[in-house]
Amino acid sequence: MPYPALPDILKKPSKREPDQIWEARPAFHHPDFSLKLPGSVQVTALDANAAYLSALKCWLPIGKLEHTTGADGVDPKRSGVHLITPAPWRHPHLPNPLGDRDTDGALWVTDATLRLLSRLAGPKYGLTSAPEIHESWTSGATENFLDALRKILTAAREKAIEEDDTVTTEYVKAMYSKFVSTMGESIHNRDVIRPDWMHNIHSQAYANLWAKAYKAHQAGLDVVAMMGTDELHVTGDWRQVFAEGRGVAQMKIKHGDAKASGEYTLGKVTR
C-alpha cells in the first residue's frame, strides 16, 4: 500500500536513538507526598481501561504532510506534528501536560499534545499560555478514520468481559496494542507505515489520562502520581468521581504490575 513520503522529522534516526517526536508520556509524582516513607494518607492506584483503544478516536492526518511556518499550518481540521516552544507549567500539584521532560526550549510534539495545550490555555481552563508554534508538518485530517475499528473492538471486548471470556479479552487487547505499536517503522507491519499516526495515538492516550487526573483534582482528590499510559494514583473517594468497572469509560483498582499497586498508605510532607 503506497503512502506519501514522510519528512525527516518522522524518521527514526537509528535503532539506538529515540524518535524525534515528543509524545508527552507522563511520569508525575505529587511534591507533597513521599513514595518512600509510610504514613497515614490512603492512596488508590487506578487503571484506565483500554487506553490505546480509546485513543484510536483522535485527529489523524490523511494526506501528504505539508510544511508550514508559524501558526499557518494549525487548523482544527488538520493534524500532524509541530515544533513548539511551550509556556512554563506553573502548577506543581498537577501533572505537566507535556509529561516528564527535563529540558527547556523547542520540541516536536503531536497534534494531540498541541490540542491539549491549546485547550489548557483557553478560557475554560486558563492554566497556561499558548505555546509558540515555529513550524508544522500537517495535512487534512479526520477524527473518525479509525472509529469504526474502535467501535468493533470495543463491542468485542465488552461481550468477552460479560461472558468471562479471558482468551478473547486478551486477544482483543493484543490486536489494538500491536496495531498501534507497529504502525510506525516495524518489520511486523508492512501494510500501515504511518509513524505520525502512531505518535498521535500515543499522545492522545496520555492526553486522555491527563483529563482524568484533572477531573480527580477538580473533585477535591489529590493526584499523587500519574504514570505511563493508564496509571493514576489518587487520594480520597475516587468512586464519587469515576465509575468502577472494566468498561472503556470506567476505572478499576490497579493490581499486579505497579510497585505500589492497589490501595496503600503514604506520608505527606508538612510545609
Side-chain angles (χ1 to χ4, degrees), residues 14-235:
S14 70
K15 291 182 178 180
R16 295 185 178 181
E17 293 180 275
D19 290 311
Q20 300 178 72
I21 307 300
W22 182 255
E23 295 178 342
R25 184 181 181 91
F28 168 78
H29 296 286
H30 195 298
D32 282 356
F33 291 86
S34 169
L35 297 182
K36 297 179 180 179
L37 299 177
S40 58
V41 180
Q42 187 73 21
V43 180
T44 305
L46 298 175
D47 186 9
N49 300 307
Y52 281 147
L53 180 57
S54 297
L56 292 182
K57 188 172 181 62
C58 67
W59 286 90
L60 297 176
I62 302 303
K64 181 180 180 180
L65 298 179
E66 300 171 341
H67 184 257
T68 55
T69 57
D72 291 342
V74 179
D75 183 275
K77 294 185 177 182
R78 297 184 70 84
S79 180
V81 294
H82 310 269
L83 180 65
I84 68 167
T85 296
W89 184 249
R90 309 292 190 189
H91 310 279
H93 304 326
L94 277 174
N96 189 323
L98 275 174
D100 183 27
R101 185 168 182 252
D102 296 329
T103 58
D104 296 324
L107 74 164
W108 284 96
V109 299
T110 68
D111 189 77
T113 299
L114 181 61
R115 286 174 187 261
L116 175 60
L117 292 175
S118 298
R119 289 196 299 274
L120 300 186
K124 180 179 178 179
Y125 294 91
L127 291 172
T128 186
S129 299
E132 180 183 359
I133 301 168
H134 304 292
E135 56 180 302
S136 304
W137 285 95
T138 64
S139 81
T142 177
E143 193 179 18
N144 299 316
F145 187 74
L146 297 177
D147 206 36
L149 174 63
R150 180 184 66 85
K151 290 177 179 177
I152 290 171
L153 293 177
T154 298
R157 180 181 182 275
E158 289 176 351
K159 182 180 179 182
I161 290 173
E162 289 174 2
E163 297 176 353
D164 198 24
D165 184 352
T166 56
V167 173
T168 300
T169 303
E170 291 302 311
Y171 183 70
V172 170
K173 181 178 180 180
M175 285 179 66
Y176 65 74
S177 299
K178 284 290 186 182
F179 176 63
V180 173
S181 65
T182 64
M183 67 170 55
E185 298 180 51
S186 172
I187 61 173
H188 302 292
N189 188 346
R190 299 296 191 185
D191 295 320
V192 180
I193 307 174
R194 291 302 299 249
D196 49 342
W197 292 3
M198 179 189 70
H199 291 309
N200 266 286
I201 293 170
H202 285 172
S203 295
Q204 186 63 55
Y206 305 145
N208 291 346
L209 186 60
W210 191 94
K212 289 179 171 63
Y214 185 73
K215 181 179 181 179
H217 172 78
Q218 289 297 93
L221 309 185
D222 282 318
V223 179
V224 176
M226 187 177 90
M227 298 172 286
T229 308
D230 54 15
E231 192 168 341
L232 183 65
H233 297 222
V234 298
T235 65

